[in-house]
Amino acid sequence: MARKPKPWAGRFREPTERLVEEFTASIGFDRKLASHDIAGSVAHARMLKKVGLLAAGEARKIETGLKAIEREIEQGKFVFDPADEDIHMAVEARLIKKIGPVGGKLHTARSRNDQVATALRLYLREAVDEMVSGIEALQLALAEKAKAHLKTVMPGYTHLQRAQPVSLAHHLMAHWEALERDRARFADCRGRINVLPLGAAALAGTSLPIDRKFVARELGFASVAANSLDAVSDRDFVVEFLATSALAMTHLSRIAEELILWCSAEFGFARLPDALCTGSSLMPHKKNPDAPELVRAKTGRVIGDLVSLLTVLKALPLAYNRDLQEDKEPAFDAAETLSACLAVTARCIEGLEVDKVRMAEAAGAGFPAAVELVDRLVEVGVPMREAHGIVGRLVRSCLDKGVGLADLDPKELARHHKALASVKPEELSAEASLAAKRSTGSAAPAEVARQVRRALRRAKR
């Protein structure tokens, strides 16, 4: 069977060996760019017509052919041939087969170098919008769950040791804030993605009278790349997408870890619905939080995607090198992984069943208002470090006796400092600790309610 000639075969005496052909082919994965490649080609054809490099009939024939190819791909009728190397050559070869030699005019004034960069930017622009939508859905789930638990008290932790009481709402809204930074980073990243490289050609631009700004308007790009060398070699926008994705996955992993801990018998703070869990093939009593466990694990994949591309880029000379073919799989993987993890995390938050009693018991155990006692002493003029020592010795006394602060009588409190004599037992509860907070952004019920209202208002816009 005759081998398909390459578009660049004119300079070569020998055909590409099958081994090299298979090794260098990217069509197995970059077919994901098909719709974006076709969108770029349609805009390019319209521009060629505008500047007189294509006749009106030729441009119409090319655009009709490209739309027909897009339908073939969507319907699963398109035959992907590894000999075409990548999706860009595959579409062009099919176009020429469908409409004849005029299809060969489509590649006028462009190279695969600027063509692939354009398609990848279109893909990532769309992916960013999907990530932002997924983040906002998870933020809404967190805010709605927080609204339902404004009065649910739980321990706040440092070093995974009980530290000070907070509300479950306050805890959930802390994750909302981290995701808000992710949302802002993606929105900011989108601006740097939204720059058109098409028209840079292979690396030096073209002597043909093209109109790059016209193509930018057709494709919704905010601007055109200012330097043709940079346009075809720049993958900063992919790195930025991967870095933002890796950080977002890190935030999801922290949520996942807490869900796993809270659903353990040792914590007993919450349960996930049966429909969101799996069981054991051997132990009939098991109910496993596999979804958050996999979110935690998949974080490593996305971090790896970032490291992989940085390693590819670290020593590349200008301009285009075939190494840049390795930019796509990490981008595709990160986008698909993060999208799935956002969706499953949102579902876990929506379905989370909270044991309010168990959380309250844990929050009230020990010394939930120890810091408030320090603050009480500070307010009567005791230096903070001295007040800290006084309450520390008070706590030590409680530990020796096996009691909590609320179990001490006024005389015992007064022995440590006279200003503590007026402290009532009800002032030493977890709820009282929250009510005593005054600072902006604190765990004070009114502050948390304000945070939740703000989040829900934003979600309704």
Side-chain angles (χ1 to χ4, degrees):
M1 184 177 177
R3 301 279 296 280
K4 182 184 289 187
K6 304 293 186 185
W8 37 261
R11 180 249 185 269
F12 290 80
R13 291 194 179 95
E14 299 174 344
T16 308
E17 285 190 15
R18 181 73 67 186
L19 174 65
V20 173
E21 189 171 75
E22 292 173 354
F23 182 71
T24 58
S26 60
I27 197 167
F29 54 84
D30 69 11
R31 63 182 65 181
K32 291 180 186 294
L33 296 176
S35 63
H36 307 93
D37 177 75
I38 289 171
S41 291
V42 168
H44 186 67
R46 290 175 180 174
M47 182 275 293
L48 293 176
K49 172 194 166 187
K50 175 181 179 291
V51 300
L53 291 172
L54 279 180
E58 292 174 325
R60 187 165 51 251
K61 197 172 183 180
I62 287 172
E63 185 168 343
T64 300
L66 288 169
K67 295 294 180 63
I69 292 169
E70 187 169 30
R71 286 193 297 273
E72 288 178 5
I73 294 171
E74 290 170 352
Q75 296 166 5
K77 297 177 181 178
F78 190 92
V79 179
F80 293 95
D81 186 349
D84 287 325
E85 295 187 9
D86 57 36
I87 187 61
H88 318 290
M89 289 176 65
V91 169
E92 182 180 312
R94 179 63 179 145
L95 181 66
I96 293 171
K97 188 172 182 179
K98 282 181 75 73
I99 68 173
V102 69
K105 291 190 174 186
L106 176 60
H107 209 57
T108 301
R110 75 175 182 184
S111 162
R112 272 192 297 172
N113 297 356
D114 60 344
Q115 184 181 359
V116 66
T118 301
L120 188 54
R121 284 178 182 269
L122 288 170
Y123 170 87
L124 285 179
R125 193 174 69 182
E126 191 175 279
V128 162
D129 293 343
E130 183 181 339
M131 298 312 114
V132 168
S133 178
I135 288 169
E136 289 176 343
L138 175 53
Q139 286 182 301
L140 177 59
L142 287 165
E144 288 181 336
K145 186 66 68 173
K147 183 181 179 182
H149 289 282
L150 288 167
K151 296 182 179 179
T152 300
V153 182
M154 66 172 289
Y157 293 87
T158 62
H159 307 276
L160 206 56
Q161 305 295 313
R162 291 173 188 166
Q164 290 182 270
V166 296
S167 63
L168 176 56
H170 192 52
H171 191 108
L172 294 173
M173 289 308 295
H175 288 303
W176 189 98
E177 292 291 344
L179 289 164
E180 178 65 7
R181 293 191 294 274
D182 293 326
R183 187 194 66 79
R185 271 186 286 269
F186 272 119
D188 189 48
C189 169
R190 193 186 194 280
R192 281 177 287 280
I193 291 171
N194 204 27
V195 178
L196 176 74
L198 204 63
L203 76 161
T206 177
S207 57
L208 294 168
I210 63 171
D211 187 341
R212 296 183 67 204
K213 291 183 178 179
F214 174 87
V215 178
R217 288 192 297 271
E218 286 284 302
L219 294 173
F221 282 102
S223 61
V224 299
N227 182 287
S228 60
L229 277 167
D230 181 60
V232 298
S233 61
D234 169 34
R235 292 299 184 273
D236 290 3
F237 66 98
V238 188
V239 171
E240 191 171 355
F241 175 82
L242 292 175
T244 305
S245 297
L247 186 50
M249 283 296 302
T250 301
H251 292 146
L252 296 189
S253 185
R254 298 182 78 179
I255 295 172
E257 173 69 4
E258 290 183 340
L259 293 177
I260 294 162
L261 288 173
W262 292 356
C263 291
S264 69
E266 283 68 23
F267 274 74
F269 285 177
R271 294 173 296 277
L272 287 171
D274 288 357
L276 301 183
C277 296
T278 64
S280 165
S281 61
L282 175 66
M283 298 171 283
H285 61 287
K286 289 296 298 298
K287 178 179 173 181
N288 302 323
D290 283 12
E293 287 175 354
L294 283 172
V295 169
R296 187 173 61 183
K298 288 176 183 292
T299 299
R301 280 180 55 168
V302 178
I303 293 171
D305 291 331
L306 170 60
V307 173
S308 173
L309 184 56
L310 284 170
T311 306
V312 168
L313 295 175
K314 69 178 181 61
L316 286 187
L318 295 176
Y320 183 84
N321 298 270
R322 193 61 176 267
D323 309 53
L324 292 177
Q325 180 172 291
E326 293 297 306
D327 62 354
K328 294 166 200 63
E329 287 183 288
F332 298 156
D333 181 66
E336 292 169 4
T337 301
L338 177 55
S339 180
C341 288
L342 284 167
V344 79
T345 303
R347 185 67 194 91
C348 286
I349 295 298
E350 289 167 357
L352 193 67
E353 301 164 10
V354 176
D355 189 330
K356 297 181 182 180
V357 174
R358 174 69 183 131
M359 280 190 169
E361 289 174 348
F367 312 96
V371 176
E372 276 63 50
L373 288 183
V374 173
D375 291 345
R376 176 78 67 95
L377 293 172
V378 167
E379 286 186 319
V380 298
V382 179
M384 190 276 173
R385 282 299 169 204
E386 185 180 334
H388 187 286
I390 291 168
V391 176
R393 288 188 289 276
L394 181 58
V395 167
R396 181 69 262 169
S397 175
C398 288
L399 290 171
D400 291 342
K401 296 174 181 178
V403 298
L405 289 172
D407 299 318
L408 300 178
D409 60 38
K411 290 182 180 179
E412 175 67 17
L413 290 169
R415 270 198 293 272
H416 287 270
H417 196 283
K418 62 182 180 180
L420 300 179
S422 61
V423 176
K424 299 179 177 61
E426 58 267 27
E427 294 179 86
L428 298 173
S429 68
E431 290 78 6
S433 172
L434 293 182
K437 297 291 185 294
R438 302 178 188 177
S439 56
T440 301
S442 70
E447 277 296 302
V448 178
R450 181 186 62 78
Q451 294 171 39
V452 172
R453 286 195 301 272
R454 181 194 64 173
L456 291 173
R457 277 198 304 272
R458 220 282 304 281
K460 291 174 182 177
R461 288 207 299 264

